[in-house]
Amino acid sequence: MDRDALNSALLKAHEDNDKDELVKLYTFAADLTEKEHDLDASCFYLTHAFVFALEQGNEDAYILNKRLVKHNRSTLIPVV
């Protein structure tokens, strides 16, 4: 998925309030920017994915939080 397609998909997911899709797309964007060695952008996207995962009770919330902790962008938050 190129950046234009990613941006379009993100906008549509926001319009549809599809938080599960937002978790997936923001995680994808984080992975993409991490591969490009843009840690600030990656953590920006990870934070968004993490927040939407928390709102949904998505099981990926813990993994996303651990990734942010690894980059010193968060503390480990117990996710229930």
Side-chain angles (χ1 to χ4, degrees):
M1 177 182 302
D2 67 19
R3 289 196 184 249
D4 288 337
L6 177 58
N7 287 333
S8 293
L10 280 165
L11 288 173
K12 180 163 179 14
H14 275 288
E15 287 173 12
D16 295 344
N17 199 30
D18 186 345
K19 293 181 181 172
D20 285 329
E21 186 67 9
L22 287 167
V23 172
K24 291 175 191 172
L25 291 169
Y26 278 117
T27 301
F28 178 82
D31 294 343
L32 180 69
T33 51
E34 187 171 0
K35 287 177 187 171
E36 296 171 346
H37 305 287
D38 188 345
L39 186 59
D40 287 335
S42 180
C43 289
F44 172 83
Y45 291 124
L46 280 173
T47 300
H48 281 73
F50 177 54
V51 169
F52 286 116
L54 283 175
E55 287 181 357
Q56 290 297 101
N58 186 308
E59 61 191 31
D60 291 337
Y62 181 71
I63 294 165
L64 294 164
N65 183 219
K66 282 179 62 174
R67 287 179 67 183
L68 287 165
V69 169
K70 179 179 121 180
H71 297 303
N72 295 316
R73 303 300 174 101
S74 182
T75 58
L76 194 58
I77 299 169
V79 179
V80 181

